[in-house]
Amino acid sequence: MLSSLKTRLRRLIRGYQRSAQYPVLLPHHALTDDGVTPLRQAERMLPEPVRRALPFCDGLHTVNEVAERAAASRSQIIAAQEHELIVLWERAVPATAPVVADPARVTRVILSPHPDDAALSLGGAMLTWAAAVDQEAVEKTAAETSESDQTAAADTDSPPAESPAAPTPTPAESDSQRSGEPSGPETDVRQLTDQTLVVNVFTRSAWWRFPPAEGAADLSAETPAIQAIRAEEDDLVSRLAHTPMRALDLDEALLRGHAIADIFTAPLGERDAAASDAVRSAVIGLAAEFPNTEFYLPLAIGRHVDHRLVRDAALTGLREAGVPLARVRLFEDLPYAARGETSDLAEAHPALKLTPSPVDVSVQVDAKLEMLRVYWSQFSWSQLPELKAHAKDAETGAYVERVHAVGE
């Protein structure tokens, strides 16, 4: 009885605190007449107010708005988050994922071995970098508004002049006007300043955290479903982080003949050669497409064969493309780093010297954990607290993501 009262009180308080946040239904849950059917689980019956609320959890309505539209309580929406049905976001979530607007503006490329690796290891940095762009948008808009106001004020003190004929719009201007796209000060600042691009390498995946279907020896028959749900997870994370993503569509280790038992110990071999060459070629292309970028590669802590392959092939490609090591960063792979595992970098690349260059993500650390909840097919939410504990820097007390500059 006491425990139930505490739960209700906690949800009441959180409902008040998070009333202006935006709930988003996770892509792993199919709505039914009586509740939801989670991925690989039996249908779950839900209270009718919660069932009415979930269709409005689209990232475009706040908790307050969803509660009002569905005649539900804010506490019930908080309960849906605690039951792993939704995530709560600080701001409205775009309906479509961002894209690269101008290659010259891409200043960071993160090579993510698997679709969740970038968010696991650099999710706080991604959010921090995006927040800096948001702040620049505010400052830019304020400055341009002030300048416009000053010009308008000056015009009111001048005698009226004959209005010139309206200029004929250029084809680009006409297209913008027809499509309703904003121009001038209202243009999304992400089209004007730096962007971070995540390149997911092994997006042809054959693993999720659920066991094979009854009677099946492995997950091979479910690879289409696995790849589809992972693509939906990535799409949502891209929208939450305002970070464009690309996929190289390469086969992960389990589809190249590796077994679960050997992916952390097997040396790179003939079965990995085609993937290695594809990564090397892709990186050479990325270096040409984005001439001003820093490249973030996995350090391969944990020694996963896919992480080692991406690191080694990318380093080769960057060297061939003439990219200096000063523009290369190695990030610590999570969750492996949080578990005290090690990298083989010293043996594989003995000439490389690393200098710690951590990214302070204190402001975004809780948002990162909320964003990681999207990768529900890969890990349960109970695994996330260890990531926050690991991020705490013992000397400064800040939360950091550990990145290393590279030299020789």
Side-chain angles (χ1 to χ4, degrees), residues 169-235:
T170 66
E173 289 170 338
S174 298
D175 289 344
S176 177
Q177 291 164 5
R178 283 196 298 269
S179 65
E181 294 176 358
S183 59
E186 282 132 15
T187 301
D188 187 344
V189 76
R190 291 180 186 83
Q191 298 180 12
L192 304 174
T193 59
D194 66 295
Q195 279 189 311
T196 300
L197 172 67
V198 172
V199 177
N200 292 307
V201 178
F202 298 111
T203 50
R204 291 180 54 81
S205 179
W207 190 88
W208 57 18
R209 65 187 175 93
F210 308 110
E214 187 174 354
D218 55 35
L219 293 170
S220 57
E222 298 179 85
T223 54
I226 293 172
Q227 290 167 23
I229 199 64
R230 298 204 73 176
E232 289 187 70
E233 291 171 339
D234 256 359
D235 177 79

Side-chain angles (χ1 to χ4, degrees), residues 294-359:
E294 292 180 340
F295 284 86
Y296 288 73
L297 318 178
L299 186 54
I301 291 177
R303 309 190 182 210
H304 192 297
V305 66
D306 286 342
H307 291 231
R308 286 182 276 136
L309 187 156
V310 169
R311 180 198 64 198
D312 295 349
L315 286 171
T316 299
L318 292 173
R319 188 179 304 113
E320 291 181 16
V323 175
L325 285 177
R327 285 171 40 203
V328 178
R329 302 286 185 270
L330 294 179
F331 61 83
E332 293 190 353
D333 314 60
L334 290 170
Y336 309 113
R339 299 167 185 169
E341 299 187 34
T342 60
S343 169
D344 68 334
L345 183 77
E347 305 102 80
H349 302 278
L352 295 184
K353 307 300 181 186
L354 302 186
T355 302
S357 183
V359 180

Side-chain angles (χ1 to χ4, degrees), residues 135-189:
Q135 181 60 34
E136 184 174 343
V138 172
E139 294 172 357
K140 179 179 177 65
T141 301
E144 291 177 340
T145 300
S146 175
E147 182 180 348
S148 177
D149 290 345
Q150 291 172 9
T151 301
D155 288 345
T156 61
D157 295 332
S158 304
E162 183 178 351
S163 299
T168 302
T170 66
E173 289 170 338
S174 298
D175 289 344
S176 177
Q177 291 164 5
R178 283 196 298 269
S179 65
E181 294 176 358
S183 59
E186 282 132 15
T187 301
D188 187 344
V189 76

Side-chain angles (χ1 to χ4, degrees), residues 117 120-121 301 333-341 379 383 386-387:
D117 286 318
L120 276 164
S121 298
I301 291 177
D333 314 60
L334 290 170
Y336 309 113
R339 299 167 185 169
E341 299 187 34
F379 43 80
Q383 296 172 266
E386 69 173 343
L387 302 182

Side-chain angles (χ1 to χ4, degrees), residues 110-119 198-203 234 245-250 375:
I110 301 172
L111 287 182
S112 181
H114 306 104
D116 56 346
D117 286 318
V198 172
V199 177
N200 292 307
V201 178
F202 298 111
T203 50
D234 256 359
M245 294 186 179
R246 290 184 182 178
L248 295 189
D249 289 330
L250 299 181
Y375 290 111

